[in-house]
Amino acid sequence: MANLNVPIMVVDDAKFSSVMIGRTLKGAGFRDIRFASSANEALVQLQKRPASILVADWLMPEMDGLQLTQQVRELDKRLHHFTYVILLTAKEGVKALAEAFDRGVDDFINKSVMNDQLLPRIFAADRTAHMQNKLLEENKLLVDNLQQLEKHSLTDHLTGIGNLRFCLQHLGEAIRHVESRDASACLLIVALQNAKQIEQQRGLAIYNEVAKGVARRLQQLIRPLDIITRTGDDQFSIITTHLHDEQYTPKSFRRIYEGLNLKAFKSSVGYISIKAAMSMCILTNTPPLPTAEQLLVVTRKMLAKSFETGLITATQWSPGMLKKKPPQSEPTS
């Protein structure tokens, strides 16, 4: 059964034609009918309130029906809406109609049979427009839900390990552990220095294979209680804690450095070598302790020196570090 409240827009520069169309639609019970005497006037109205069905004359001054259709399609994209476009024409022939469909027109009615064809085409247009707009609404709802899930997710969708949110959460726990048990902790950041080069030369799909390979290898190289996360497209972080004030040094993580840099990663196009830069910040119970965000910022800043030297850059947290320049790098052996 037709939806008699479906919003319909009639666009025709000939007043007599608009009156006839309006009379036919109102006679069938349709209630929400608007009229425009030009394409520009129609666009102004549609920007204020979209229509589900647009009936327009093909030949109009200033902007014809095909140009109006293109403008409506662009407006639909911005409004996440679908408008079913029907053009009225005296044109005949496959070429003219093919052009109309190529330009985004959904249907056409020859003026010679308009009295017989208008209502059946409107009924069909109503069903199609309703279905398309319902799908758009459902798709928007799915996108919103996915965004909410991603916003609260703790897992990196590509590698399956923890994401940035997960990293900050566990960094906070590590800082509290250091404070309450007079322990020590270390944040190690691994950055893939040639990530962009791999993606440009091999493509995103191959780079994603490499990133997943790095995550798997890091899981094999870290200790069972260490936490590994992916904190950026080309960046991984490792959080480790100890009950006592262990002396962390770059040598403590040499196995990770060598495990990434000295052994290539197998991909669907062959073996690919990466260039991993590493920086680390050691935290002991020396108040005031940083927040998780501060510790991450400081350790990331040291990567610049690691890129430059090819060595693991290491430092110990102190309250003034956010204002200091990156420290000197230390060799891995």
Side-chain angles (χ1 to χ4, degrees):
M1 187 172 180
N3 173 22
L4 299 180
N5 292 315
V6 60
I8 302 173
M9 169 75 70
V10 179
V11 189
D12 201 321
D13 60 314
K15 187 174 181 179
F16 176 77
S17 179
S18 292
V19 170
M20 294 301 295
I21 294 171
R23 184 178 298 171
T24 301
L25 294 174
K26 289 177 181 177
F30 290 101
R31 305 182 185 95
D32 189 353
I33 308 169
R34 288 174 288 163
F35 298 89
S37 59
S38 69
N40 287 323
E41 182 185 342
L43 289 170
V44 171
Q45 291 193 44
L46 292 172
Q47 286 177 352
K48 295 178 180 178
R49 182 166 70 91
S52 293
I53 303 172
L54 177 70
V55 182
D57 192 5
W58 187 323
L59 298 178
M60 293 184 291
E62 297 181 1
M63 185 188 301
D64 64 22
L66 295 183
Q67 293 170 319
L68 172 60
T69 300
Q70 289 181 307
Q71 293 292 321
V72 169
R73 293 296 175 231
E74 292 178 7
L75 184 61
D76 279 351
K77 287 181 181 179
R78 295 199 297 272
L79 299 178
H80 300 287
H81 179 75
F82 174 77
T83 305
Y84 192 99
V85 178
I86 302 174
L87 290 190
L88 306 176
T89 180
K91 293 186 177 185
E92 295 182 356
V94 175
K95 185 176 180 180
L97 301 179
E99 180 187 8
F101 290 131
D102 287 343
R103 300 278 286 274
V105 175
D106 297 296
D107 199 1
F108 68 94
I109 302 175
N110 193 288
K111 290 183 177 181
S112 63
V113 294
M114 186 176 69
N115 291 337
D116 296 327
Q117 294 293 321
L118 179 62
L119 287 179
R121 301 296 179 84
I122 291 292
F123 294 147
D126 173 35
R127 290 193 296 272
T128 302
H130 174 74
M131 180 176 62
Q132 291 289 343
N133 282 308
K134 184 178 180 181
L135 289 172
L136 285 171
E137 290 176 7
E138 291 175 349
N139 184 65
K140 185 178 184 301
L141 183 61
L142 284 172
V143 170
D144 290 343
N145 288 338
L146 284 173
Q147 289 176 342
Q148 286 297 317
L149 287 173
E150 289 179 359
K151 182 178 179 182
H152 299 288
S153 173
L154 297 174
T155 305
D156 176 59
H157 70 278
L158 177 66
T159 62
I161 62 176
N163 59 12
L164 177 60
R165 178 184 291 272
F166 186 84
C167 174
L168 292 173
Q169 176 180 304
H170 280 271
L171 264 182
E173 293 176 2
I175 292 168
R176 289 190 291 272
H177 179 80
V178 168
E179 184 177 29
S180 63
R181 300 196 179 187
D182 199 24
S184 63
C186 180
L187 172 64
L188 178 77
I189 293 183
V190 179
L192 308 186
Q193 194 169 351
N194 59 337
K196 293 188 182 300
Q197 181 181 357
I198 294 173
E199 183 177 342
Q200 290 172 355
Q201 294 178 350
R202 304 285 189 166
L204 178 60
I206 300 302
Y207 173 70
N208 286 342
E209 290 183 27
V210 173
K212 287 189 282 188
V214 170
R216 287 193 298 269
R217 190 168 297 176
L218 283 173
Q219 288 175 309
Q220 297 167 357
L221 292 169
I222 63 175
R223 300 178 309 177
L225 296 181
D226 292 344
I227 302 295
I228 175 176
T229 64
R230 188 181 184 214
T231 49
D233 290 341
D234 57 355
Q235 192 176 108
F236 297 82
S237 297
I238 298 170
I239 305 167
T240 180
T241 57
H242 284 280
L243 291 176
H244 304 289
D245 186 6
E246 178 172 311
Q247 294 298 313
Y248 290 102
T249 69
K251 291 181 181 180
S252 306
F253 300 101
R254 185 172 61 182
R255 68 189 186 283
I256 296 177
Y257 184 89
E258 293 178 348
L260 296 177
N261 285 289
L262 301 183
K263 186 178 179 182
F265 290 82
K266 187 177 181 180
S267 74
S268 57
V269 295
Y271 285 91
I272 296 177
S273 296
I274 69 165
K275 187 176 181 182
M278 297 170 58
S279 61
M280 55 185 286
C281 187
I282 304 158
L283 182 66
T284 57
N285 190 14
T286 305
L289 294 177
T291 64
E293 290 80 1
Q294 288 174 330
L295 191 59
L296 185 62
V297 166
V298 165
T299 314
R300 278 177 167 172
K301 282 184 177 180
M302 296 190 296
L303 283 171
K305 192 67 176 179
S306 301
F307 287 158
E308 180 183 337
T309 62
L311 305 175
I312 299 179
T313 303
T315 192
Q316 184 160 332
W317 165 264
S318 64
M321 283 195 64
L322 288 173
K323 299 179 181 179
K324 290 182 179 180
K325 295 181 179 180
Q328 296 295 318
S329 300
E330 298 182 29
T332 58
S333 59

